[in-house]
Amino acid sequence: MSWTADEMMTVAAARALRGGTRCFVGIGLPSTAANLARRTHAPDLVLVYESGTIGAKPDRLPLSIGDGVLAETADAVVGVPEMFNYWLQPGRIDVGFLGAAQLDRFGNINTTVIGDDYADPRVRLPGAGGAPEIAASCREVIVVVRQSRRTFVDRVDFVTSVGHGSGPGDRARLGLRGGGPALVITDLGVLEPDPCDRELVLTHLHPGVTPEQAVAATGWALRLAPAVSTTEAPRPAELAALRALTGSAEDKETT
Amino acid sequence: MIVTLAEAVAELVHDGDTVALEGFTHLIPVAAGHEIIRQGRRGLTLVRMTPDIVYDQLIGAGCARKLVFSWAGNPGVGSLHRFRDAVQHAWPGPLEIEEHSHAGMANRYVAGASGLPFAVLRGYTGTDLPRHTATIAPITCPFTGETLTAVPALNPDVGIVHAQRADRRGNVQYWGITGVHKEVVLASARSLVTVEEVVDELTPVPGAVVLPAWAVTRVAHVPGGSHPSYAMGFSDRDNDYYQRWDAISRDRAEFGRWLEGLTS
């Protein structure tokens, strides 16, 4: 059974979520992966969306974080101030699952502007949304993002959400309570922060991807872990569940 | 109390006002936004956590001078092209922005609804937002000495939301994803709620919010007034429309034709 790089990424991201944990889910790739995890190995994963739905169990992939199917299937629906003040801020959520427009070697995220001039940006992006406080308060953060030189930059143009700042001790100095990015999962492999200097290093490559490809797709001098593992290829059950979720063409061909 | 949408907008929304049309994916008062465009309001400061299609339309139509927000996008689809065009190319005019996070905006409304000058949260630390937004400031806890973040109250001139129903006296009931509906109505000097239906008596609904008539300035009966967003129990989100908007909004001429269709 063949699969695309995006499918490998989504499956790898889903596997990173463990059952029973409470996961604050961003829309797009993180939402697809979180819903896949709930349909495969982690049926009791608690999906939390910033629209106020806690424990959503959608039977189809929502297009937006506030789709009706999330509210109809949730354990609780709360107002947005309550979501941020009562549920996120005190550290009740285990995992923050985020995307990024730009990401640097310390896992700092930009979703605000591309270009050096905030007032006159090259590209105006949507902005912060819930991400700064998700990145600050969840016990750990997992970033799901396609890897390219445009995205993986030496320095983000704007720090929307703090990763590991500029290195060890920064999060504590800033008073951020969560642990910060623990995993960055891409279409090429997986990066994890070095325990000593907190710089993201490549720890896994997806099947068929070479270290050179990952280095070429990274805008900083990417370091490789002493032993880079190969991610397990998507299993047929994982692919079938993913394709049923996204309604992709591959599904129609294989069923 | 219960008036037509055109009457409500004519009475409540004036040029230069600070106006919040809120709705977190659900119950967005889109028809009210269209009426503001039709009545040709100018120089508005638009406030909203998640400006989406209706704000793209208001900005493209030249109603706005400033945007106060935390996430401006077409949810689930991508960028807001009229918003982008205004920020990047000052078209149809320059758009000043005041940018926050969701947590900051939500707390600003809470402070506004609570009659307090500011709110306190753990937020923004280490991000670049405080460097560009004057309404984010550090504050020291008087009890622990800890440094936190203060954001000033938001008190719009007009707060507008959509809801499922009202009774004939103007008591409003809504349920589902409730966003910051209550906060924006209570924080605003004047408020308008557009509703799917007007009934003799409100039937109790588990989890529903009721805003008493005396807390709301005007109610307008506008069935389907949240389209393409949705009103739980009445309509589904029109995801195709959100996807179609991308093409309409990318091109100034295409947007112009859409606008002509709305106002003619």
Side-chain angles (χ1 to χ4, degrees):
Chain A
M1 203 178 211
S2 67
W3 33 268
T4 68
D6 266 11
E7 286 176 330
M8 178 71 253
M9 166 172 61
T10 309
V11 167
R15 287 177 189 157
L17 296 173
R18 291 172 297 280
T21 56
R22 302 173 287 260
C23 180
F24 210 116
V25 187
I27 205 62
L29 294 169
S31 177
T32 309
N35 276 285
L36 177 61
R38 216 183 58 76
R39 280 158 173 246
T40 50
H41 65 281
D44 55 349
L45 184 70
V46 179
L47 304 186
V48 180
Y49 289 84
E50 66 191 12
S51 57
T53 64
I54 298 173
K57 294 166 277 289
D59 59 5
R60 56 186 185 275
L61 206 54
L63 179 71
S64 120
I65 48 117
D67 278 15
V69 66
L70 298 175
E72 283 156 10
T73 60
D75 297 328
V77 181
V78 302
V80 170
E82 177 177 332
M83 174 54 75
F84 283 97
N85 288 348
Y86 295 0
W87 298 92
L88 180 64
Q89 187 166 263
R92 294 186 212 282
I93 312 293
D94 300 305
V95 183
F97 216 32
L98 297 173
Q102 282 185 334
L103 177 109
D104 71 16
R105 67 176 74 205
F106 292 108
N108 301 302
I109 290 173
N110 173 19
T111 57
T112 303
V113 289
I114 305 291
D116 287 333
D117 188 353
Y118 173 80
D120 185 19
R122 213 146 37 80
V123 180
R124 175 64 228 196
L125 302 168
E133 285 82 19
I134 295 171
S137 303
C138 291
R139 211 175 60 205
E140 63 175 32
V141 171
I142 300 176
V143 185
V144 194
V145 59
R146 293 184 188 96
Q147 193 166 349
S148 76
R149 277 183 174 266
R150 219 174 64 168
T151 304
F152 280 53
V153 294
D154 191 43
R155 202 177 58 83
V156 290
D157 293 340
F158 189 100
V159 178
T160 310
S161 309
V162 181
H164 296 289
S166 49
D170 257 18
R171 287 187 65 89
R173 268 193 293 280
L174 292 167
L176 308 179
R177 297 181 140 196
L183 287 172
V184 175
I185 297 167
T186 83
D187 49 344
L188 303 179
V190 178
L191 298 86
E192 294 174 58
D194 180 298
C196 298
D197 65 14
R198 311 311 288 165
E199 180 174 321
L200 292 170
V201 299
L202 186 79
T203 57
H204 291 71
L205 283 166
H206 298 326
V209 181
T210 66
E212 292 73 27
Q213 273 176 280
V215 169
T218 306
W220 70 83
L222 177 65
R223 280 157 42 194
L224 274 54
V228 175
S229 316
T230 303
T231 317
E232 185 197 342
R235 293 175 215 130
E238 289 170 323
L239 277 180
L242 174 59
R243 289 169 186 175
L245 194 59
T246 59
S248 70
E250 286 91 331
D251 182 49
K252 290 175 191 99
E253 283 163 24
T254 51
T255 53
Chain B
M1 181 68 206
I2 299 185
V3 297
T4 67
L5 179 58
E7 286 166 349
V9 168
E11 179 195 346
L12 300 180
V13 185
H14 316 130
D15 285 357
D17 274 355
T18 296
V19 184
L21 292 88
E22 275 292 353
F24 211 91
T25 312
H26 182 216
L27 297 175
I28 298 168
V30 177
H34 289 173
E35 186 57 29
I36 291 172
I37 295 175
R38 275 192 216 98
Q39 294 194 16
R41 292 294 175 279
R42 288 292 177 268
L44 302 179
T45 293
L46 293 177
V47 181
R48 184 152 158 218
M49 295 182 67
T50 53
D52 72 341
I53 285 182
V54 68
Y55 271 43
D56 212 27
Q57 294 165 343
L58 283 154
I59 291 164
C63 302
R65 175 187 80 73
K66 181 178 177 182
L67 181 69
V68 182
F69 74 109
S70 41
W71 189 90
N74 184 345
V77 178
S79 292
L80 290 182
H81 299 291
R82 294 300 94 225
F83 159 70
R84 256 193 176 179
D85 208 8
V87 174
Q88 294 174 213
H89 309 292
W91 191 94
L95 183 73
E96 190 188 332
I97 60 172
E98 181 178 325
E99 184 164 8
H100 278 268
S101 69
H102 282 352
M105 285 290 283
N107 279 290
R108 295 186 70 187
Y109 280 130
V110 169
S114 306
L116 288 168
F118 68 91
V120 163
L121 69 154
R122 294 181 189 284
Y124 299 108
T125 319
T127 75
D128 281 335
L129 280 161
R131 289 203 290 127
H132 299 283
T133 303
T135 46
I136 300 171
I139 188 168
T140 305
C141 171
F143 305 106
T144 65
E146 196 178 356
T147 303
L148 300 163
T149 300
V151 288
L154 261 172
N155 290 105
D157 296 308
V158 195
I160 305 178
V161 296
H162 189 70
Q164 275 97 344
R165 63 186 174 216
D167 67 18
R168 295 191 197 287
R169 288 171 297 160
N171 298 299
V172 171
Q173 185 186 45
Y174 61 95
W175 61 90
I177 289 173
T178 54
V180 288
H181 267 49
K182 187 193 286 180
E183 288 76 13
V184 74
V185 166
L186 297 183
S188 299
R190 304 182 292 279
S191 59
L192 164 64
V193 184
T194 59
V195 295
E196 288 293 324
E197 66 175 6
V198 176
V199 296
D200 290 329
E201 288 286 332
L202 293 179
T203 312
V205 176
V209 178
V210 176
L211 290 169
W214 53 267
V216 177
T217 315
R218 291 287 177 264
V219 171
H221 182 206
V222 189
S226 64
H227 179 268
S229 87
Y230 69 106
M232 183 174 267
F234 288 82
S235 59
D236 292 326
R237 192 171 187 267
D238 186 351
N239 286 335
D240 290 345
Y241 187 102
Y242 282 88
Q243 273 155 345
R244 280 203 307 277
W245 182 253
D246 193 71
I248 297 169
S249 62
R250 261 176 205 279
D251 183 68
R252 288 177 188 174
E254 191 70 29
F255 170 75
R257 281 188 283 279
W258 175 86
L259 189 59
E260 215 175 276
L262 181 76
T263 52
S264 61

